Amino acid sequence: MRLTLVTAKRVLTQLRSDPRTIAMIMVLPCLIVGLIAWMFHGTDTLDRFGPVLIGFFPLFVMFLITSITTQRERSSGTLERLMTTPLRKGDLMGGYVLAFGSLSVIQALVVTGFALAVGMDMAGSVPLMILVAMLSAVLGCALGLAASAVARTEFQAVQMLPLVIVPQIFTAGIFLPREAMPTALQWIANVLPLTYSVDAMQKVTAGQGLGEIATDLVVVVLWIIGSIALGILTLRRRTD
Amino acid sequence: MIVHNPKPCLRYDSRVTAAPTSAVRARGLSVVRGGKDILHGVDLDIPAGHVTGLLGPSGSGKTTLMRAMVGVQDNVTGELTVLGEPAGAAALRRRVGYDTQAASVYADLTVRANVEYFASLAGLRGSDAKDAVDAALTSVDLTFHAAQRIASLSGGERSRASLAATFVGNPELIILDEPTVGLDPVLRRALWELFRRLADDGRTLVVSSHVMDEASRCDRLILMRDGRVMASTTPDDLLADTGTTDAESAFLALIDREGSAS
Ligand SMILES: Nc1ncnc2c1ncn2[C@@H]1O[C@H](COP(=O)(O)OP(=O)(O)OP(=O)(O)O)[C@@H](O)[C@H]1O
Ligand SMILES: [Mg+2]
Protein backbone atom coordinates (compact mmCIF):
# COMPACT_ATOMS: atom_id res chain seq x y z
CA MET A 1 0.00 0.00 0.00
CA ARG A 2 2.81 2.40 0.88
CA LEU A 3 4.49 1.73 -2.44
CA THR A 4 1.18 2.48 -4.17
CA LEU A 5 1.05 5.85 -2.45
CA VAL A 6 4.66 6.82 -3.21
CA THR A 7 4.08 5.81 -6.82
CA ALA A 8 0.93 7.96 -7.03
CA LYS A 9 2.87 10.85 -5.56
CA ARG A 10 5.66 10.34 -8.08
CA VAL A 11 3.21 10.31 -11.01
CA LEU A 12 1.49 13.48 -9.76
CA THR A 13 4.85 15.21 -9.31
CA GLN A 14 5.69 14.32 -12.91
CA LEU A 15 2.37 15.71 -14.13
CA ARG A 16 2.75 18.89 -12.13
CA SER A 17 5.88 19.70 -14.07
CA ASP A 18 3.99 19.20 -17.32
CA PRO A 19 1.50 22.06 -17.77
CA ARG A 20 0.49 20.90 -21.23
CA THR A 21 -0.87 17.63 -19.93
CA ILE A 22 -2.73 19.37 -17.11
CA ALA A 23 -4.16 21.77 -19.70
CA MET A 24 -5.23 18.86 -21.85
CA ILE A 25 -7.00 17.23 -18.91
CA MET A 26 -8.76 20.34 -17.64
CA VAL A 27 -9.09 22.69 -20.62
CA LEU A 28 -9.72 20.42 -23.62
CA PRO A 29 -13.13 19.09 -22.46
CA CYS A 30 -14.17 22.65 -21.51
CA LEU A 31 -13.11 23.87 -24.93
CA ILE A 32 -15.35 21.33 -26.66
CA VAL A 33 -18.30 22.16 -24.42
CA GLY A 34 -17.65 25.89 -24.91
CA LEU A 35 -17.47 25.46 -28.66
CA ILE A 36 -20.84 23.73 -28.78
CA ALA A 37 -22.41 26.37 -26.54
CA TRP A 38 -21.10 29.03 -28.91
CA MET A 39 -21.88 27.32 -32.24
CA PHE A 40 -25.39 26.28 -31.32
CA HIS A 41 -26.23 29.39 -29.35
CA GLY A 42 -29.97 29.81 -28.95
CA THR A 43 -30.78 26.13 -29.60
CA ASP A 44 -31.05 23.26 -27.13
CA THR A 45 -28.03 21.43 -28.58
CA LEU A 46 -25.86 22.05 -25.52
CA ASP A 47 -28.64 20.82 -23.25
CA ARG A 48 -28.98 17.62 -25.29
CA PHE A 49 -25.31 16.84 -25.99
CA GLY A 50 -23.54 18.60 -23.11
CA PRO A 51 -24.14 15.91 -20.52
CA VAL A 52 -23.10 13.13 -22.89
CA LEU A 53 -19.91 14.98 -23.75
CA ILE A 54 -19.23 15.49 -20.07
CA GLY A 55 -19.50 11.72 -19.76
CA PHE A 56 -17.36 10.98 -22.79
CA PHE A 57 -14.55 13.52 -23.01
CA PRO A 58 -13.03 12.87 -19.61
CA LEU A 59 -12.87 9.17 -20.55
CA PHE A 60 -11.22 9.96 -23.87
CA VAL A 61 -8.68 12.35 -22.38
CA MET A 62 -7.80 10.11 -19.46
CA PHE A 63 -7.35 7.12 -21.76
CA LEU A 64 -4.95 9.13 -23.87
CA ILE A 65 -2.96 10.56 -20.96
CA THR A 66 -2.70 7.21 -19.21
CA SER A 67 -1.52 5.39 -22.32
CA ILE A 68 1.04 8.08 -23.08
CA THR A 69 2.39 8.18 -19.53
CA THR A 70 2.71 4.42 -19.16
CA GLN A 71 4.22 4.18 -22.61
CA ARG A 72 6.83 6.74 -21.57
CA GLU A 73 7.52 4.62 -18.51
CA ARG A 74 8.30 1.77 -20.86
CA SER A 75 10.42 3.61 -23.41
CA SER A 76 12.48 5.46 -20.80
CA GLY A 77 13.65 2.14 -19.35
CA THR A 78 12.19 2.99 -15.96
CA LEU A 79 9.59 0.23 -16.28
CA GLU A 80 12.37 -2.33 -16.70
CA ARG A 81 14.10 -0.91 -13.67
CA LEU A 82 10.89 -0.86 -11.59
CA MET A 83 10.46 -4.55 -12.37
CA THR A 84 13.73 -5.24 -10.53
CA THR A 85 12.58 -3.41 -7.37
CA PRO A 86 10.20 -4.57 -4.61
CA LEU A 87 7.38 -2.60 -6.33
CA ARG A 88 4.60 -5.03 -7.21
CA LYS A 89 2.64 -4.75 -10.43
CA GLY A 90 -0.47 -3.99 -8.39
CA ASP A 91 1.36 -1.14 -6.65
CA LEU A 92 2.30 0.33 -9.99
CA MET A 93 -1.21 0.09 -11.43
CA GLY A 94 -2.71 1.27 -8.13
CA GLY A 95 -0.38 4.25 -8.08
CA TYR A 96 -1.43 5.25 -11.56
CA VAL A 97 -5.15 4.82 -10.84
CA LEU A 98 -4.84 6.86 -7.65
CA ALA A 99 -2.92 9.68 -9.34
CA PHE A 100 -5.12 9.91 -12.42
CA GLY A 101 -8.25 9.17 -10.40
CA SER A 102 -7.69 12.21 -8.20
CA LEU A 103 -7.18 14.31 -11.32
CA SER A 104 -10.42 12.87 -12.67
CA VAL A 105 -12.34 14.21 -9.69
CA ILE A 106 -11.01 17.72 -10.29
CA GLN A 107 -11.65 17.35 -14.01
CA ALA A 108 -15.27 16.32 -13.47
CA LEU A 109 -15.85 19.31 -11.21
CA VAL A 110 -14.21 21.74 -13.64
CA VAL A 111 -15.98 20.49 -16.77
CA THR A 112 -19.43 20.24 -15.19
CA GLY A 113 -19.05 23.65 -13.59
CA PHE A 114 -17.98 25.13 -16.90
CA ALA A 115 -20.89 23.58 -18.81
CA LEU A 116 -23.37 25.00 -16.32
CA ALA A 117 -21.65 28.38 -16.44
CA VAL A 118 -21.95 28.62 -20.24
CA GLY A 119 -25.67 27.99 -19.99
CA MET A 120 -26.34 24.25 -20.10
CA ASP A 121 -29.84 23.63 -18.79
CA MET A 122 -29.97 20.70 -16.43
CA ALA A 123 -33.17 19.21 -15.12
CA GLY A 124 -31.35 16.58 -13.11
CA SER A 125 -28.96 16.44 -10.18
CA VAL A 126 -25.59 18.14 -10.61
CA PRO A 127 -23.78 15.99 -7.99
CA LEU A 128 -24.93 12.83 -9.78
CA MET A 129 -23.67 14.22 -13.06
CA ILE A 130 -20.30 14.90 -11.49
CA LEU A 131 -20.26 11.37 -10.08
CA VAL A 132 -20.91 9.85 -13.51
CA ALA A 133 -18.29 12.11 -15.15
CA MET A 134 -15.79 11.07 -12.53
CA LEU A 135 -16.47 7.37 -12.93
CA SER A 136 -16.10 7.54 -16.68
CA ALA A 137 -12.80 9.40 -16.32
CA VAL A 138 -11.53 6.67 -13.99
CA LEU A 139 -12.83 4.15 -16.52
CA GLY A 140 -10.77 5.87 -19.23
CA CYS A 141 -7.73 5.66 -17.00
CA ALA A 142 -8.30 1.96 -16.26
CA LEU A 143 -8.85 1.14 -19.94
CA GLY A 144 -5.67 3.07 -20.80
CA LEU A 145 -3.68 1.06 -18.25
CA ALA A 146 -5.05 -2.23 -19.54
CA ALA A 147 -4.44 -1.27 -23.16
CA SER A 148 -0.84 -0.28 -22.59
CA ALA A 149 -0.16 -3.39 -20.53
CA VAL A 150 -1.50 -5.54 -23.35
CA ALA A 151 0.47 -3.60 -25.96
CA ARG A 152 3.96 -4.98 -26.50
CA THR A 153 5.30 -2.02 -28.44
CA GLU A 154 4.82 1.73 -28.60
CA PHE A 155 3.15 1.32 -31.99
CA GLN A 156 0.60 -1.12 -30.59
CA ALA A 157 -0.10 1.25 -27.72
CA VAL A 158 -0.96 4.04 -30.16
CA GLN A 159 -3.23 1.70 -32.08
CA MET A 160 -5.23 1.02 -28.94
CA LEU A 161 -7.04 4.35 -29.12
CA PRO A 162 -8.87 3.62 -32.39
CA LEU A 163 -9.26 0.01 -31.28
CA VAL A 164 -10.68 0.52 -27.80
CA ILE A 165 -12.31 3.94 -27.76
CA VAL A 166 -13.55 4.79 -31.26
CA PRO A 167 -15.94 1.80 -31.69
CA GLN A 168 -17.50 2.69 -28.35
CA ILE A 169 -18.29 6.21 -29.55
CA PHE A 170 -20.50 4.78 -32.27
CA THR A 171 -22.17 2.06 -30.24
CA ALA A 172 -22.75 4.08 -27.07
CA GLY A 173 -25.78 5.92 -28.40
CA ILE A 174 -24.16 9.34 -28.63
CA PHE A 175 -25.07 9.94 -32.28
CA LEU A 176 -27.81 7.41 -32.79
CA PRO A 177 -30.19 6.05 -30.16
CA ARG A 178 -29.20 2.49 -29.41
CA GLU A 179 -32.71 1.23 -30.23
CA ALA A 180 -32.21 2.41 -33.82
CA MET A 181 -29.04 0.35 -34.31
CA PRO A 182 -28.84 -3.08 -35.97
CA THR A 183 -29.30 -5.92 -33.47
CA ALA A 184 -25.71 -7.13 -33.72
CA LEU A 185 -24.43 -3.68 -32.87
CA GLN A 186 -26.84 -3.47 -29.96
CA TRP A 187 -25.34 -6.66 -28.55
CA ILE A 188 -21.88 -5.18 -28.79
CA ALA A 189 -23.12 -1.97 -27.23
CA ASN A 190 -24.60 -3.94 -24.36
CA VAL A 191 -21.15 -5.21 -23.44
CA LEU A 192 -19.06 -2.07 -23.83
CA PRO A 193 -18.75 0.24 -20.83
CA LEU A 194 -19.14 3.64 -22.51
CA THR A 195 -22.72 2.64 -23.30
CA TYR A 196 -23.45 2.56 -19.59
CA SER A 197 -21.83 5.84 -18.65
CA VAL A 198 -23.62 7.59 -21.54
CA ASP A 199 -26.88 5.93 -20.50
CA ALA A 200 -26.39 7.06 -16.90
CA MET A 201 -25.64 10.58 -18.08
CA GLN A 202 -28.76 10.69 -20.25
CA LYS A 203 -30.89 9.48 -17.37
CA VAL A 204 -29.40 12.03 -14.95
CA THR A 205 -30.09 14.76 -17.51
CA ALA A 206 -33.71 13.62 -17.73
CA GLY A 207 -34.02 14.06 -13.99
CA GLN A 208 -33.77 10.44 -12.89
CA GLY A 209 -32.17 9.58 -9.56
CA LEU A 210 -29.46 7.31 -8.18
CA GLY A 211 -31.85 4.33 -8.09
CA GLU A 212 -32.37 4.48 -11.88
CA ILE A 213 -28.68 4.70 -12.74
CA ALA A 214 -27.40 2.23 -10.14
CA THR A 215 -27.14 -0.65 -12.64
CA ASP A 216 -25.21 1.55 -15.08
CA LEU A 217 -22.78 2.58 -12.35
CA VAL A 218 -22.25 -1.01 -11.24
CA VAL A 219 -21.36 -2.04 -14.79
CA VAL A 220 -18.90 0.86 -15.12
CA VAL A 221 -17.28 0.00 -11.78
CA LEU A 222 -17.00 -3.66 -12.80
CA TRP A 223 -15.29 -2.59 -16.02
CA ILE A 224 -12.88 -0.42 -14.02
CA ILE A 225 -11.99 -3.32 -11.72
CA GLY A 226 -11.75 -5.76 -14.62
CA SER A 227 -9.49 -3.48 -16.65
CA ILE A 228 -7.13 -2.92 -13.76
CA ALA A 229 -7.00 -6.64 -13.08
CA LEU A 230 -6.29 -7.29 -16.75
CA GLY A 231 -3.52 -4.67 -16.65
CA ILE A 232 -1.93 -6.31 -13.61
CA LEU A 233 -2.16 -9.77 -15.13
CA THR A 234 -0.79 -8.88 -18.55
CA LEU A 235 2.00 -6.50 -17.55
CA ARG A 236 5.10 -8.62 -17.85
CA ARG A 237 8.10 -8.54 -15.61
CA ARG A 238 10.17 -10.48 -18.10
CA THR A 239 10.39 -9.19 -21.65
CA ASP A 240 12.17 -10.23 -24.80
CA MET B 1 35.87 14.96 -6.22
CA ILE B 2 33.82 11.91 -5.33
CA VAL B 3 33.92 11.49 -1.60
CA HIS B 4 33.46 8.35 0.38
CA ASN B 5 29.90 7.27 1.02
CA PRO B 6 29.56 8.49 4.62
CA LYS B 7 26.58 6.33 5.38
CA PRO B 8 27.27 3.57 7.89
CA CYS B 9 27.06 0.52 5.70
CA LEU B 10 25.96 -2.91 6.71
CA ARG B 11 28.73 -5.40 6.22
CA TYR B 12 27.82 -8.43 4.24
CA ASP B 13 30.21 -11.09 5.41
CA SER B 14 30.70 -13.65 2.68
CA ARG B 15 31.20 -16.30 5.38
CA VAL B 16 27.64 -15.97 6.64
CA THR B 17 25.76 -15.74 3.35
CA ALA B 18 24.23 -18.99 2.19
CA ALA B 19 26.43 -19.71 -0.80
CA PRO B 20 29.92 -19.29 0.59
CA THR B 21 31.62 -17.82 -2.46
CA SER B 22 29.34 -17.46 -5.45
CA ALA B 23 26.97 -14.50 -5.62
CA VAL B 24 25.91 -15.60 -9.08
CA ARG B 25 26.16 -19.07 -10.52
CA ALA B 26 25.11 -20.07 -14.02
CA ARG B 27 25.15 -23.50 -15.62
CA GLY B 28 24.08 -24.10 -19.17
CA LEU B 29 22.38 -20.70 -19.29
CA SER B 30 20.77 -19.99 -22.63
CA VAL B 31 18.64 -17.08 -23.80
CA VAL B 32 16.55 -16.70 -26.94
CA ARG B 33 15.61 -13.17 -28.04
CA GLY B 34 13.44 -12.43 -31.02
CA GLY B 35 13.73 -16.09 -32.08
CA LYS B 36 17.53 -15.96 -32.13
CA ASP B 37 19.89 -17.79 -29.77
CA ILE B 38 21.72 -15.00 -27.96
CA LEU B 39 23.38 -16.83 -25.04
CA HIS B 40 24.52 -20.38 -25.72
CA GLY B 41 24.92 -22.44 -22.55
CA VAL B 42 26.88 -20.03 -20.39
CA ASP B 43 28.64 -21.36 -17.26
CA LEU B 44 29.97 -18.85 -14.77
CA ASP B 45 30.58 -18.12 -11.12
CA ILE B 46 30.74 -14.60 -9.76
CA PRO B 47 32.41 -14.46 -6.33
CA ALA B 48 30.77 -12.47 -3.54
CA GLY B 49 32.50 -9.38 -2.21
CA HIS B 50 34.44 -8.62 -5.37
CA VAL B 51 34.25 -6.45 -8.45
CA THR B 52 33.71 -8.65 -11.50
CA GLY B 53 34.11 -7.13 -14.92
CA LEU B 54 31.90 -8.41 -17.73
CA LEU B 55 33.80 -7.58 -20.87
CA GLY B 56 33.08 -8.24 -24.48
CA PRO B 57 32.43 -6.58 -27.80
CA SER B 58 29.17 -4.90 -28.66
CA GLY B 59 26.46 -7.50 -29.18
CA SER B 60 28.27 -10.23 -27.25
CA GLY B 61 25.39 -10.59 -24.79
CA LYS B 62 26.46 -8.59 -21.73
CA THR B 63 23.15 -6.77 -21.31
CA THR B 64 21.20 -9.96 -21.98
CA LEU B 65 23.16 -11.78 -19.27
CA MET B 66 22.59 -8.96 -16.78
CA ARG B 67 18.89 -8.81 -17.58
CA ALA B 68 18.68 -12.53 -16.90
CA MET B 69 20.42 -12.05 -13.53
CA VAL B 70 17.94 -9.39 -12.39
CA GLY B 71 14.95 -11.39 -13.65
CA VAL B 72 13.60 -9.21 -16.47
CA GLN B 73 14.80 -11.34 -19.38
CA ASP B 74 12.27 -13.69 -20.92
CA ASN B 75 13.06 -17.07 -22.50
CA VAL B 76 15.90 -18.02 -20.17
CA THR B 77 16.78 -21.70 -19.80
CA GLY B 78 19.38 -23.46 -17.70
CA GLU B 79 20.42 -22.81 -14.14
CA LEU B 80 20.88 -19.27 -12.82
CA THR B 81 21.26 -18.77 -9.08
CA VAL B 82 21.60 -15.31 -7.56
CA LEU B 83 22.47 -14.92 -3.85
CA GLY B 84 21.31 -18.49 -3.30
CA GLU B 85 17.91 -18.06 -4.97
CA PRO B 86 16.67 -18.57 -8.51
CA ALA B 87 17.25 -15.38 -10.53
CA GLY B 88 14.19 -13.13 -10.48
CA ALA B 89 12.82 -14.47 -7.18
CA ALA B 90 10.71 -11.82 -5.43
CA ALA B 91 12.90 -11.87 -2.33
CA LEU B 92 15.90 -10.84 -4.43
CA ARG B 93 14.36 -7.54 -5.43
CA ARG B 94 15.40 -5.98 -2.12
CA ARG B 95 18.91 -7.38 -2.35
CA VAL B 96 19.86 -6.70 -5.95
CA GLY B 97 20.35 -3.29 -7.54
CA TYR B 98 20.42 -2.86 -11.31
CA ASP B 99 21.40 0.10 -13.46
CA THR B 100 20.39 -0.24 -17.09
CA GLN B 101 22.74 0.62 -19.94
CA ALA B 102 20.82 3.78 -20.85
CA ALA B 103 20.05 5.97 -17.84
CA SER B 104 16.63 4.91 -16.52
CA VAL B 105 15.34 7.82 -14.47
CA TYR B 106 12.34 10.12 -14.87
CA ALA B 107 13.36 13.02 -17.10
CA ASP B 108 10.65 15.31 -15.75
CA LEU B 109 11.63 14.85 -12.10
CA THR B 110 14.57 16.37 -10.27
CA VAL B 111 17.61 14.29 -9.40
CA ARG B 112 16.58 14.24 -5.76
CA ALA B 113 12.95 13.31 -6.48
CA ASN B 114 14.17 10.39 -8.58
CA VAL B 115 16.55 9.08 -5.95
CA GLU B 116 13.92 9.60 -3.24
CA TYR B 117 11.40 7.55 -5.18
CA PHE B 118 13.79 4.63 -5.53
CA ALA B 119 14.70 4.97 -1.84
CA SER B 120 11.00 4.59 -0.97
CA LEU B 121 10.72 1.56 -3.21
CA ALA B 122 13.65 0.03 -1.35
CA GLY B 123 11.65 0.42 1.86
CA LEU B 124 13.49 3.41 3.31
CA ARG B 125 11.50 6.12 5.03
CA GLY B 126 11.90 9.20 7.19
CA SER B 127 15.39 10.23 8.19
CA ASP B 128 16.86 6.91 6.98
CA ALA B 129 15.60 7.72 3.51
CA LYS B 130 16.95 11.24 3.65
CA ASP B 131 20.38 10.07 4.81
CA ALA B 132 20.51 7.39 2.14
CA VAL B 133 19.53 9.87 -0.59
CA ASP B 134 22.16 12.36 0.55
CA ALA B 135 24.80 9.62 0.68
CA ALA B 136 23.89 8.31 -2.76
CA LEU B 137 23.98 11.80 -4.30
CA THR B 138 27.32 12.49 -2.65
CA SER B 139 28.77 9.20 -3.86
CA VAL B 140 28.17 10.14 -7.50
CA ASP B 141 29.04 13.80 -6.92
CA LEU B 142 25.61 15.16 -7.83
CA THR B 143 24.84 17.04 -4.61
CA PHE B 144 25.00 20.37 -6.38
CA HIS B 145 22.63 19.21 -9.11
CA ALA B 146 20.12 17.65 -6.72
CA ALA B 147 17.39 20.20 -7.47
CA GLN B 148 17.90 20.07 -11.23
CA ARG B 149 15.54 18.15 -13.48
CA ILE B 150 17.02 15.14 -15.24
CA ALA B 151 16.01 16.54 -18.64
CA SER B 152 18.38 19.47 -18.17
CA LEU B 153 21.40 17.39 -17.11
CA SER B 154 24.37 16.47 -19.29
CA GLY B 155 24.59 12.86 -20.45
CA GLY B 156 27.22 11.96 -17.87
CA GLU B 157 25.27 13.61 -15.08
CA ARG B 158 22.19 11.73 -16.13
CA SER B 159 23.93 8.37 -15.99
CA ARG B 160 25.29 9.24 -12.55
CA ALA B 161 21.78 10.13 -11.37
CA SER B 162 20.74 6.69 -12.59
CA LEU B 163 23.62 5.14 -10.62
CA ALA B 164 22.57 7.02 -7.47
CA ALA B 165 19.09 5.50 -7.82
CA THR B 166 20.73 2.06 -7.85
CA PHE B 167 22.99 2.70 -4.86
CA VAL B 168 20.36 4.33 -2.63
CA GLY B 169 18.73 1.04 -1.58
CA ASN B 170 22.12 -0.25 -0.37
CA PRO B 171 21.82 -3.57 -2.28
CA GLU B 172 24.10 -6.55 -1.63
CA LEU B 173 24.57 -7.32 -5.30
CA ILE B 174 25.02 -4.37 -7.63
CA ILE B 175 24.71 -4.97 -11.37
CA LEU B 176 25.83 -2.04 -13.51
CA ASP B 177 25.56 -2.05 -17.29
CA GLU B 178 28.34 0.12 -18.74
CA PRO B 179 28.18 2.73 -15.98
CA THR B 180 31.27 4.63 -17.08
CA VAL B 181 30.50 5.08 -20.77
CA GLY B 182 30.82 8.68 -21.85
CA LEU B 183 32.44 9.84 -18.64
CA ASP B 184 35.75 11.69 -18.49
CA PRO B 185 38.85 9.93 -17.12
CA VAL B 186 38.70 11.74 -13.78
CA LEU B 187 35.11 10.75 -13.15
CA ARG B 188 35.75 7.23 -14.37
CA ARG B 189 38.58 6.80 -11.91
CA ALA B 190 36.42 8.21 -9.11
CA LEU B 191 33.60 5.80 -9.90
CA TRP B 192 35.94 2.80 -10.01
CA GLU B 193 37.26 3.89 -6.61
CA LEU B 194 33.67 3.97 -5.38
CA PHE B 195 33.05 0.45 -6.75
CA ARG B 196 36.18 -0.70 -4.96
CA ARG B 197 35.01 0.76 -1.63
CA LEU B 198 31.61 -0.87 -2.02
CA ALA B 199 33.31 -4.23 -2.60
CA ASP B 200 35.58 -3.64 0.42
CA ASP B 201 32.37 -3.07 2.38
CA GLY B 202 31.21 -6.53 1.35
CA ARG B 203 29.05 -5.77 -1.70
CA THR B 204 29.33 -7.78 -4.88
CA LEU B 205 29.61 -5.77 -8.06
CA VAL B 206 29.17 -6.88 -11.64
CA VAL B 207 30.22 -4.15 -14.04
CA SER B 208 30.03 -4.47 -17.80
CA SER B 209 32.22 -2.55 -20.16
CA HIS B 210 33.61 -2.78 -23.61
CA VAL B 211 36.47 -0.49 -22.73
CA MET B 212 39.20 -3.03 -22.21
CA ASP B 213 41.46 -0.77 -20.16
CA GLU B 214 38.89 -0.91 -17.36
CA ALA B 215 39.70 -4.60 -16.96
CA SER B 216 42.69 -3.86 -14.73
CA ARG B 217 40.36 -2.28 -12.16
CA CYS B 218 38.42 -5.50 -11.60
CA ASP B 219 39.17 -8.41 -9.26
CA ARG B 220 37.83 -10.89 -11.75
CA LEU B 221 37.04 -10.85 -15.43
CA ILE B 222 34.51 -12.62 -17.54
CA LEU B 223 35.26 -12.24 -21.21
CA MET B 224 32.31 -12.78 -23.50
CA ARG B 225 32.06 -13.20 -27.21
CA ASP B 226 29.07 -14.11 -29.38
CA GLY B 227 26.97 -15.23 -26.43
CA ARG B 228 29.67 -17.46 -24.93
CA VAL B 229 32.09 -17.05 -22.04
CA MET B 230 35.52 -17.02 -23.66
CA ALA B 231 37.46 -16.78 -20.40
CA SER B 232 36.79 -16.40 -16.71
CA THR B 233 39.97 -15.23 -15.05
CA THR B 234 41.75 -12.44 -13.17
CA PRO B 235 43.45 -9.46 -14.83
CA ASP B 236 46.93 -10.77 -13.94
CA ASP B 237 46.25 -14.31 -15.11
CA LEU B 238 44.79 -12.99 -18.33
CA LEU B 239 47.97 -11.09 -19.16
CA ALA B 240 50.24 -13.93 -18.04
CA ASP B 241 48.22 -16.46 -20.01
CA THR B 242 48.31 -14.57 -23.24
CA GLY B 243 51.78 -13.08 -22.82
CA THR B 244 50.46 -9.57 -23.39
CA THR B 245 50.74 -6.34 -21.46
CA ASP B 246 47.27 -4.88 -21.83
CA ALA B 247 43.73 -6.22 -21.77
CA GLU B 248 42.93 -5.28 -25.33
CA SER B 249 45.83 -7.26 -26.80
CA ALA B 250 44.97 -10.10 -24.44
CA PHE B 251 41.41 -10.16 -25.72
CA LEU B 252 42.59 -10.22 -29.33
CA ALA B 253 45.10 -12.96 -28.51
CA LEU B 254 42.28 -15.08 -27.05
CA ILE B 255 40.21 -14.60 -30.18
CA ASP B 256 43.15 -15.62 -32.38
CA ARG B 257 43.74 -18.68 -30.23
CA GLU B 258 40.07 -19.70 -30.51
CA GLY B 259 40.24 -19.21 -34.25
CA SER B 260 43.28 -21.44 -34.70
CA ALA B 261 41.86 -24.10 -32.35
CA SER B 262 38.72 -24.60 -34.38
N1 LIG C 1 14.70 -8.41 -29.09
C1 LIG C 1 15.74 -8.89 -29.75
N2 LIG C 1 15.56 -9.64 -30.88
C2 LIG C 1 16.59 -10.14 -31.55
N3 LIG C 1 17.87 -9.97 -31.20
C3 LIG C 1 18.12 -9.25 -30.10
C4 LIG C 1 17.08 -8.68 -29.32
N4 LIG C 1 17.63 -8.03 -28.33
C5 LIG C 1 18.95 -8.17 -28.44
N5 LIG C 1 19.27 -8.91 -29.52
C6 LIG C 1 20.62 -9.28 -29.96
O1 LIG C 1 21.27 -9.92 -28.89
C7 LIG C 1 22.66 -9.70 -28.97
C8 LIG C 1 23.20 -9.36 -27.62
O2 LIG C 1 22.67 -8.12 -27.21
P1 LIG C 1 23.15 -7.42 -25.88
O3 LIG C 1 22.36 -6.18 -25.74
O4 LIG C 1 23.08 -8.40 -24.78
O5 LIG C 1 24.67 -7.09 -26.23
P2 LIG C 1 25.75 -6.29 -25.39
O6 LIG C 1 26.90 -7.21 -25.17
O7 LIG C 1 25.11 -5.70 -24.18
O8 LIG C 1 26.19 -5.16 -26.41
P3 LIG C 1 26.59 -3.62 -26.14
O9 LIG C 1 28.00 -3.61 -25.66
O10 LIG C 1 26.49 -3.00 -27.50
O11 LIG C 1 25.63 -3.07 -25.17
C9 LIG C 1 22.86 -8.62 -30.03
O12 LIG C 1 23.39 -9.21 -31.19
C10 LIG C 1 21.47 -8.08 -30.28
O13 LIG C 1 21.32 -7.70 -31.62
MG1 LIG D 1 24.70 -3.82 -23.59
Side-chain angles (χ1 to χ4, degrees), chain A residues 240, chain B residues 33-34 36 38 56-64 101 178 210:
Chain A
D240 188 55
Chain B
R33 296 183 86 168
K36 280 196 301 182
I38 302 299
S58 179
S60 56
K62 303 181 294 295
T63 299
T64 306
Q101 184 161 0
E178 307 207 10
H210 56 227

Side-chain angles (χ1 to χ4, degrees), chain B residues 9 16 47-48 76 79 146 148 165 177-179 188 190 205 232 240 244 253-254:
Chain B
C9 293
V16 296
V76 180
E79 182 200 328
Q148 207 172 327
D177 200 354
E178 307 207 10
R188 259 183 22 206
L205 287 94
S232 180
T244 53
L254 280 181

Side-chain angles (χ1 to χ4, degrees), chain B residues 128-146:
Chain B
D128 284 350
K130 194 186 172 304
D131 293 348
V133 170
D134 287 339
L137 290 177
T138 307
S139 73
V140 298
D141 196 26
L142 274 183
T143 309
F144 294 113
H145 294 281

Side-chain angles (χ1 to χ4, degrees), chain A residues 2-3 7 10 13-14 17 72-73 76-78 80-87 236-240, chain B residues 32-34 67 71-74 87 93 98 104-106 108-109 117-118 120-121 124-125 162 165-166:
Chain A
R2 206 185 105 72
L3 297 191
T7 301
R10 186 264 294 171
T13 315
Q14 281 180 283
S17 66
R72 256 203 279 168
E73 182 99 71
S76 67
T78 46
E80 178 177 344
R81 175 178 221 150
L82 289 180
M83 290 307 181
T84 69
T85 71
L87 183 76
R236 287 150 48 100
R237 214 171 263 285
R238 292 180 181 269
T239 53
D240 188 55
Chain B
V32 178
R33 296 183 86 168
R67 279 170 45 84
V72 296
Q73 178 62 53
D74 206 0
R93 291 183 202 130
Y98 173 48
S104 49
V105 276
Y106 298 97
D108 38 12
L109 293 181
Y117 177 55
F118 286 100
S120 307
L121 295 188
L124 295 166
R125 51 202 308 184
S162 193
T166 306

Side-chain angles (χ1 to χ4, degrees), chain B:
Chain B
M1 63 181 306
I2 289 186
V3 299
H4 178 60
N5 184 345
K7 184 176 155 202
C9 293
L10 283 174
R11 282 198 149 271
Y12 295 106
D13 192 332
S14 57
R15 281 166 304 182
V16 296
T17 41
T21 48
S22 276
V24 180
R25 177 189 145 92
R27 291 293 178 273
L29 178 73
S30 297
V31 173
V32 178
R33 296 183 86 168
K36 280 196 301 182
D37 289 328
I38 302 299
L39 296 186
H40 321 269
V42 165
D43 295 340
L44 56 81
D45 291 278
I46 293 175
H50 293 279
V51 181
T52 299
L54 189 57
L55 302 179
S58 179
S60 56
K62 303 181 294 295
T63 299
T64 306
L65 179 57
M66 290 184 148
R67 279 170 45 84
M69 289 179 192
V70 297
V72 296
Q73 178 62 53
D74 206 0
N75 302 317
V76 180
T77 51
E79 182 200 328
L80 183 57
T81 310
V82 174
L83 301 175
E85 309 216 33
L92 287 175
R93 291 183 202 130
R94 290 192 181 285
R95 302 170 66 197
V96 179
Y98 173 48
D99 190 23
T100 50
Q101 184 161 0
S104 49
V105 276
Y106 298 97
D108 38 12
L109 293 181
T110 64
V111 175
R112 177 173 286 278
N114 267 290
V115 180
E116 276 172 352
Y117 177 55
F118 286 100
S120 307
L121 295 188
L124 295 166
R125 51 202 308 184
S127 63
D128 284 350
K130 194 186 172 304
D131 293 348
V133 170
D134 287 339
L137 290 177
T138 307
S139 73
V140 298
D141 196 26
L142 274 183
T143 309
F144 294 113
H145 294 281
Q148 207 172 327
R149 286 217 263 150
I150 299 289
S152 66
L153 293 178
S154 76
E157 287 162 353
R158 201 174 300 192
S159 69
R160 281 184 284 147
S162 193
L163 266 180
T166 306
F167 291 144
V168 73
N170 199 15
E172 286 166 62
L173 171 63
I174 301 171
I175 297 178
L176 308 175
D177 200 354
E178 307 207 10
T180 59
V181 162
L183 300 183
D184 59 85
V186 181
L187 253 174
R188 259 183 22 206
R189 184 180 62 188
L191 279 179
W192 278 102
E193 283 165 7
L194 172 65
F195 301 161
R196 170 62 46 212
R197 283 195 304 273
L198 288 167
D200 289 345
D201 260 345
R203 305 302 188 301
T204 305
L205 287 94
V206 184
V207 182
S208 76
S209 177
H210 56 227
V211 185
M212 291 297 162
D213 64 5
E214 295 193 315
S216 59
R217 300 208 167 258
C218 302
D219 300 314
R220 297 212 43 101
L221 296 176
I222 292 170
L223 301 184
M224 290 188 70
R225 190 177 177 228
D226 293 338
R228 289 194 172 80
V229 171
M230 199 164 51
S232 180
T233 176
T234 65
D236 290 343
D237 288 349
L238 175 68
L239 298 184
D241 239 33
T242 50
T244 53
T245 53
D246 63 281
E248 189 154 329
S249 325
F251 191 82
L252 293 173
L254 280 181
I255 289 177
D256 291 343
R257 192 188 290 171
E258 268 198 347
S260 59
S262 61

